[in-house]
Amino acid sequence: MPERIVFHIDFDYFYAQCEEIRNQSLKTRPVAVCIFSDRGGDSGAIATANYIARKYGVKSGMPIKFAKARLGEIKESTFLPADFAYYSDISEKAMGVMRNYADIFEYVGKDEAYLDVTKRTEGSFERAGHLAQQLKNQIRTEVRMTCSVGVSSNKLVSKIASNFRKPDGLTVVKPEGVESFLGPLKIGDIPGIGKVTEEKFDEMGLKTIEDLRKVDIFTLNKMFGRKISAYIFNAARGLDDEPVAERQPTIQYSRIVTLKEDSKDYEFLSKSIDEICLDLHRTILKHNKMFKSVGIQFVQSDLTNKTKSRMLKNPTSSMDEMKKTALQLLQEALSDQQIAVRRLGVKVSELSDMEGQRSITNYF
Ligand code: DGT
Ligand code: CA
Ligand code: CA
């Protein structure tokens, strides 16, 4: 079997970069994206921060209050509430670009994917490096986003490599360079090795992956059990044969109709929303799904697009909820609408399975 070539792609400071995309002026200031809890005020946590805010020590998972304390004095630092539906739209767009580069495309999460490119590069790392650069360029021009890419012959090393130089990194690790690439990295740079495990090794005087290679499999077995220790033992040597497995982002359902005439009249458009929701809701029930995000889409008379979406508090399969949210979005979208709408659509996403909840879910 020829050597595989695998990309791991991870978008840089994802939520915060999405915010920069729609407001370029954020690029020069510290930006933190917050998930406010229901308790109000500043209770809640930081989802992520741009690299300027990170310089001041702001990071994912930190209480908003701490982050405000760190950035409070800094001019123009900006705290924004997370807008998941919007981040999903950006993610979709970027995934759409990436999947064209892959023989096998594995969606991992909103800001992450593996691509097997063995066939199209004919196993050449030189070609793979160029392909990765091309992909980065296309994401930059079409989505206005930077990402970091790791290229190697397996998923494990590519994941470590994508994280090696961030943001906007591209790290190619050829098979003959794997051992020397991994050697100086921290044990905690191995995916899945958390703080606790890292500390255990630290107590043994082991800090780098090179140090870790000195631990024999029997010692590891005693520490972690067979399965985990086999993983750690192989990971330290850059060994991983897990295949890239085709996986697309979770499905979303949408309906779009062309209106009888172009319009920006709420009364007129809302009638279509009613019909679209009825139709869309049938699909939801048929697939036994709940949705957590509702969006609307305009194709305007000049054929440009406009979208707006909203995350709900809880997953639901209720048609009322779908319609209510779509109508709200419609009203908001029309408030500053210049051009008439030609086609109107509704989409639901963030789907989950309904699994036996039929009886307690309110359908209509
Ligand atoms: P990066 O990749 O280091 O440049 O920065 P991010 O922000 O892309 O970090 P990553 O890839 O670990 O996570 C992707 C997104 O997931 C991130 O933009 C926000 C969200 N996220 C990450 N960590 C946390 C967390 O601890 N809490 C919450 N609520 N969201 C998180
Ligand atoms: Ca990321
Ligand atoms: Ca990620």
PDB file of all heavy atoms in Angstrom, residues 10-15 35 46-48 51 54 60-61 111 166, ligand 1:
ATOM      1  N   ASP A  10      -7.899  23.006  10.738  1.00  0.00           N
ATOM      2  CA  ASP A  10      -8.579  23.592  11.890  1.00  0.00           C
ATOM      3  C   ASP A  10      -8.630  25.107  11.690  1.00  0.00           C
ATOM      4  O   ASP A  10      -7.607  25.735  11.444  1.00  0.00           O
ATOM      5  CB  ASP A  10      -7.800  23.242  13.166  1.00  0.00           C
ATOM      6  CG  ASP A  10      -8.548  23.638  14.426  1.00  0.00           C
ATOM      7  OD1 ASP A  10      -8.564  24.839  14.748  1.00  0.00           O
ATOM      8  OD2 ASP A  10      -9.118  22.744  15.074  1.00  0.00           O
ATOM      9  N   PHE A  11      -9.833  25.675  11.759  1.00  0.00           N
ATOM     10  CA  PHE A  11      -9.971  27.118  11.581  1.00  0.00           C
ATOM     11  C   PHE A  11      -9.426  27.834  12.805  1.00  0.00           C
ATOM     12  O   PHE A  11      -9.602  27.371  13.931  1.00  0.00           O
ATOM     13  CB  PHE A  11     -11.436  27.512  11.362  1.00  0.00           C
ATOM     14  CG  PHE A  11     -12.103  26.748  10.260  1.00  0.00           C
ATOM     15  CD1 PHE A  11     -13.468  26.525  10.287  1.00  0.00           C
ATOM     16  CD2 PHE A  11     -11.368  26.251   9.193  1.00  0.00           C
ATOM     17  CE1 PHE A  11     -14.087  25.802   9.266  1.00  0.00           C
ATOM     18  CE2 PHE A  11     -11.980  25.539   8.168  1.00  0.00           C
ATOM     19  CZ  PHE A  11     -13.342  25.315   8.213  1.00  0.00           C
ATOM     20  N   ASP A  12      -8.783  28.962  12.563  1.00  0.00           N
ATOM     21  CA  ASP A  12      -8.173  29.708  13.669  1.00  0.00           C
ATOM     22  C   ASP A  12      -9.234  30.481  14.452  1.00  0.00           C
ATOM     23  O   ASP A  12     -10.164  31.024  13.856  1.00  0.00           O
ATOM     24  CB  ASP A  12      -7.135  30.675  13.110  1.00  0.00           C
ATOM     25  CG  ASP A  12      -6.048  29.941  12.319  1.00  0.00           C
ATOM     26  OD1 ASP A  12      -5.632  28.855  12.758  1.00  0.00           O
ATOM     27  OD2 ASP A  12      -5.630  30.455  11.259  1.00  0.00           O
ATOM     28  N   TYR A  13      -9.049  30.529  15.767  1.00  0.00           N
ATOM     29  CA  TYR A  13      -9.945  31.244  16.710  1.00  0.00           C
ATOM     30  C   TYR A  13     -11.346  31.384  16.122  1.00  0.00           C
ATOM     31  O   TYR A  13     -11.858  32.474  15.925  1.00  0.00           O
ATOM     32  CB  TYR A  13      -9.335  32.586  17.128  1.00  0.00           C
ATOM     33  CG  TYR A  13      -9.068  33.627  16.047  1.00  0.00           C
ATOM     34  CD1 TYR A  13      -9.915  34.720  15.887  1.00  0.00           C
ATOM     35  CD2 TYR A  13      -7.958  33.539  15.208  1.00  0.00           C
ATOM     36  CE1 TYR A  13      -9.677  35.674  14.913  1.00  0.00           C
ATOM     37  CE2 TYR A  13      -7.702  34.488  14.235  1.00  0.00           C
ATOM     38  CZ  TYR A  13      -8.575  35.549  14.088  1.00  0.00           C
ATOM     39  OH  TYR A  13      -8.348  36.483  13.122  1.00  0.00           O
ATOM     40  N   PHE A  14     -11.998  30.249  15.925  1.00  0.00           N
ATOM     41  CA  PHE A  14     -13.110  30.172  14.991  1.00  0.00           C
ATOM     42  C   PHE A  14     -14.261  31.155  15.248  1.00  0.00           C
ATOM     43  O   PHE A  14     -14.583  31.977  14.398  1.00  0.00           O
ATOM     44  CB  PHE A  14     -13.634  28.741  14.905  1.00  0.00           C
ATOM     45  CG  PHE A  14     -14.773  28.590  13.945  1.00  0.00           C
ATOM     46  CD1 PHE A  14     -14.644  29.031  12.631  1.00  0.00           C
ATOM     47  CD2 PHE A  14     -15.965  28.020  14.338  1.00  0.00           C
ATOM     48  CE1 PHE A  14     -15.697  28.906  11.733  1.00  0.00           C
ATOM     49  CE2 PHE A  14     -17.018  27.895  13.448  1.00  0.00           C
ATOM     50  CZ  PHE A  14     -16.889  28.337  12.143  1.00  0.00           C
ATOM     51  N   TYR A  15     -14.888  31.089  16.413  1.00  0.00           N
ATOM     52  CA  TYR A  15     -16.044  31.978  16.637  1.00  0.00           C
ATOM     53  C   TYR A  15     -15.628  33.450  16.513  1.00  0.00           C
ATOM     54  O   TYR A  15     -16.346  34.261  15.932  1.00  0.00           O
ATOM     55  CB  TYR A  15     -16.654  31.777  18.031  1.00  0.00           C
ATOM     56  CG  TYR A  15     -17.300  30.445  18.293  1.00  0.00           C
ATOM     57  CD1 TYR A  15     -17.821  30.146  19.563  1.00  0.00           C
ATOM     58  CD2 TYR A  15     -17.402  29.475  17.313  1.00  0.00           C
ATOM     59  CE1 TYR A  15     -18.415  28.925  19.829  1.00  0.00           C
ATOM     60  CE2 TYR A  15     -17.992  28.248  17.572  1.00  0.00           C
ATOM     61  CZ  TYR A  15     -18.489  27.977  18.836  1.00  0.00           C
ATOM     62  OH  TYR A  15     -19.072  26.778  19.107  1.00  0.00           O
ATOM     63  N   ILE A  35     -20.379  33.048  26.114  1.00  0.00           N
ATOM     64  CA  ILE A  35     -21.638  32.322  26.255  1.00  0.00           C
ATOM     65  C   ILE A  35     -22.208  32.716  27.600  1.00  0.00           C
ATOM     66  O   ILE A  35     -21.725  32.279  28.655  1.00  0.00           O
ATOM     67  CB  ILE A  35     -21.408  30.810  26.142  1.00  0.00           C
ATOM     68  CG1 ILE A  35     -20.844  30.511  24.759  1.00  0.00           C
ATOM     69  CG2 ILE A  35     -22.716  30.057  26.367  1.00  0.00           C
ATOM     70  CD1 ILE A  35     -20.551  29.069  24.495  1.00  0.00           C
ATOM     71  N   ILE A  46     -16.131  32.279  28.471  1.00  0.00           N
ATOM     72  CA  ILE A  46     -15.582  32.666  27.180  1.00  0.00           C
ATOM     73  C   ILE A  46     -15.531  31.426  26.280  1.00  0.00           C
ATOM     74  O   ILE A  46     -14.999  30.396  26.694  1.00  0.00           O
ATOM     75  CB  ILE A  46     -14.144  33.216  27.346  1.00  0.00           C
ATOM     76  CG1 ILE A  46     -14.124  34.442  28.267  1.00  0.00           C
ATOM     77  CG2 ILE A  46     -13.515  33.529  26.003  1.00  0.00           C
ATOM     78  CD1 ILE A  46     -14.909  35.625  27.770  1.00  0.00           C
ATOM     79  N   ALA A  47     -16.120  31.521  25.097  1.00  0.00           N
ATOM     80  CA  ALA A  47     -16.052  30.400  24.150  1.00  0.00           C
ATOM     81  C   ALA A  47     -14.703  30.417  23.446  1.00  0.00           C
ATOM     82  O   ALA A  47     -14.039  29.399  23.325  1.00  0.00           O
ATOM     83  CB  ALA A  47     -17.181  30.482  23.136  1.00  0.00           C
ATOM     84  N   THR A  48     -14.317  31.585  22.974  1.00  0.00           N
ATOM     85  CA  THR A  48     -12.986  31.730  22.407  1.00  0.00           C
ATOM     86  C   THR A  48     -12.644  33.216  22.296  1.00  0.00           C
ATOM     87  O   THR A  48     -13.502  34.070  22.511  1.00  0.00           O
ATOM     88  CB  THR A  48     -12.845  31.046  21.031  1.00  0.00           C
ATOM     89  OG1 THR A  48     -11.456  30.938  20.705  1.00  0.00           O
ATOM     90  CG2 THR A  48     -13.563  31.820  19.941  1.00  0.00           C
ATOM     91  N   TYR A  51      -6.506  36.355  18.694  1.00  0.00           N
ATOM     92  CA  TYR A  51      -5.134  36.225  19.205  1.00  0.00           C
ATOM     93  C   TYR A  51      -4.669  37.472  19.948  1.00  0.00           C
ATOM     94  O   TYR A  51      -3.773  37.387  20.794  1.00  0.00           O
ATOM     95  CB  TYR A  51      -4.183  35.803  18.078  1.00  0.00           C
ATOM     96  CG  TYR A  51      -4.277  34.298  17.825  1.00  0.00           C
ATOM     97  CD1 TYR A  51      -5.396  33.753  17.213  1.00  0.00           C
ATOM     98  CD2 TYR A  51      -3.272  33.443  18.270  1.00  0.00           C
ATOM     99  CE1 TYR A  51      -5.511  32.384  17.025  1.00  0.00           C
ATOM    100  CE2 TYR A  51      -3.378  32.066  18.075  1.00  0.00           C
ATOM    101  CZ  TYR A  51      -4.502  31.546  17.451  1.00  0.00           C
ATOM    102  OH  TYR A  51      -4.606  30.183  17.281  1.00  0.00           O
ATOM    103  N   ARG A  54      -5.870  36.908  23.395  1.00  0.00           N
ATOM    104  CA  ARG A  54      -5.111  35.823  24.022  1.00  0.00           C
ATOM    105  C   ARG A  54      -3.799  36.321  24.609  1.00  0.00           C
ATOM    106  O   ARG A  54      -3.299  35.775  25.593  1.00  0.00           O
ATOM    107  CB  ARG A  54      -4.827  34.706  23.008  1.00  0.00           C
ATOM    108  CG  ARG A  54      -6.078  33.909  22.662  1.00  0.00           C
ATOM    109  CD  ARG A  54      -5.785  32.761  21.714  1.00  0.00           C
ATOM    110  NE  ARG A  54      -7.039  32.306  21.113  1.00  0.00           N
ATOM    111  CZ  ARG A  54      -7.187  31.187  20.421  1.00  0.00           C
ATOM    112  NH1 ARG A  54      -6.165  30.377  20.235  1.00  0.00           N
ATOM    113  NH2 ARG A  54      -8.362  30.847  19.912  1.00  0.00           N
ATOM    114  N   SER A  60     -10.417  30.155  26.097  1.00  0.00           N
ATOM    115  CA  SER A  60     -11.655  29.369  26.114  1.00  0.00           C
ATOM    116  C   SER A  60     -11.919  28.810  27.506  1.00  0.00           C
ATOM    117  O   SER A  60     -11.006  28.316  28.158  1.00  0.00           O
ATOM    118  CB  SER A  60     -11.559  28.199  25.137  1.00  0.00           C
ATOM    119  OG  SER A  60     -11.378  28.658  23.838  1.00  0.00           O
ATOM    120  N   GLY A  61     -13.180  28.864  27.912  1.00  0.00           N
ATOM    121  CA  GLY A  61     -13.567  28.254  29.174  1.00  0.00           C
ATOM    122  C   GLY A  61     -13.452  29.186  30.374  1.00  0.00           C
ATOM    123  O   GLY A  61     -13.986  28.896  31.450  1.00  0.00           O
ATOM    124  N   ASP A 111     -15.338  23.469  13.072  1.00  0.00           N
ATOM    125  CA  ASP A 111     -14.122  24.162  12.618  1.00  0.00           C
ATOM    126  C   ASP A 111     -12.997  23.190  12.296  1.00  0.00           C
ATOM    127  O   ASP A 111     -11.839  23.556  12.339  1.00  0.00           O
ATOM    128  CB  ASP A 111     -13.693  25.224  13.641  1.00  0.00           C
ATOM    129  CG  ASP A 111     -12.822  24.656  14.741  1.00  0.00           C
ATOM    130  OD1 ASP A 111     -13.066  23.507  15.169  1.00  0.00           O
ATOM    131  OD2 ASP A 111     -11.889  25.352  15.162  1.00  0.00           O
ATOM    132  N   LYS A 166       0.168  28.194  14.650  1.00  0.00           N
ATOM    133  CA  LYS A 166      -1.147  28.808  14.582  1.00  0.00           C
ATOM    134  C   LYS A 166      -1.011  30.267  14.921  1.00  0.00           C
ATOM    135  O   LYS A 166      -0.194  30.599  15.760  1.00  0.00           O
ATOM    136  CB  LYS A 166      -2.072  28.135  15.612  1.00  0.00           C
ATOM    137  CG  LYS A 166      -3.155  27.303  14.976  1.00  0.00           C
ATOM    138  CD  LYS A 166      -4.115  26.768  15.995  1.00  0.00           C
ATOM    139  CE  LYS A 166      -5.242  26.031  15.339  1.00  0.00           C
ATOM    140  NZ  LYS A 166      -6.141  26.857  14.528  1.00  0.00           N
TER     141      LYS A 166
HETATM  142  P1  DGT B   1      -7.571  27.972  17.736  1.00  0.00           P
HETATM  143  O1  DGT B   1      -7.997  26.779  16.948  1.00  0.00           O
HETATM  144  O2  DGT B   1      -6.651  27.659  18.849  1.00  0.00           O
HETATM  145  O3  DGT B   1      -7.062  29.093  16.879  1.00  0.00           O
HETATM  146  O4  DGT B   1      -8.886  28.578  18.440  1.00  0.00           O
HETATM  147  P2  DGT B   1     -10.378  28.077  18.379  1.00  0.00           P
HETATM  148  O5  DGT B   1     -11.194  29.112  19.056  1.00  0.00           O
HETATM  149  O6  DGT B   1     -10.781  27.768  16.977  1.00  0.00           O
HETATM  150  O7  DGT B   1     -10.318  26.793  19.284  1.00  0.00           O
HETATM  151  P3  DGT B   1     -10.832  25.317  19.028  1.00  0.00           P
HETATM  152  O8  DGT B   1     -10.454  24.851  17.675  1.00  0.00           O
HETATM  153  O9  DGT B   1     -10.343  24.514  20.179  1.00  0.00           O
HETATM  154  O10 DGT B   1     -12.405  25.431  19.165  1.00  0.00           O
HETATM  155  C1  DGT B   1     -13.271  25.782  18.095  1.00  0.00           C
HETATM  156  C2  DGT B   1     -14.470  26.566  18.644  1.00  0.00           C
HETATM  157  O11 DGT B   1     -15.132  25.821  19.669  1.00  0.00           O
HETATM  158  C3  DGT B   1     -14.084  27.884  19.315  1.00  0.00           C
HETATM  159  O12 DGT B   1     -13.987  28.962  18.405  1.00  0.00           O
HETATM  160  C4  DGT B   1     -15.163  28.068  20.331  1.00  0.00           C
HETATM  161  C5  DGT B   1     -15.553  26.664  20.727  1.00  0.00           C
HETATM  162  N1  DGT B   1     -14.889  26.321  22.012  1.00  0.00           N
HETATM  163  C6  DGT B   1     -13.622  25.893  22.190  1.00  0.00           C
HETATM  164  N2  DGT B   1     -13.329  25.712  23.485  1.00  0.00           N
HETATM  165  C7  DGT B   1     -14.465  26.029  24.164  1.00  0.00           C
HETATM  166  C8  DGT B   1     -14.807  26.054  25.566  1.00  0.00           C
HETATM  167  O13 DGT B   1     -14.015  25.738  26.448  1.00  0.00           O
HETATM  168  N3  DGT B   1     -16.085  26.436  25.878  1.00  0.00           N
HETATM  169  C9  DGT B   1     -16.988  26.777  24.900  1.00  0.00           C
HETATM  170  N4  DGT B   1     -18.219  27.116  25.260  1.00  0.00           N
HETATM  171  N5  DGT B   1     -16.699  26.775  23.592  1.00  0.00           N
HETATM  172  C10 DGT B   1     -15.451  26.415  23.215  1.00  0.00           C
END
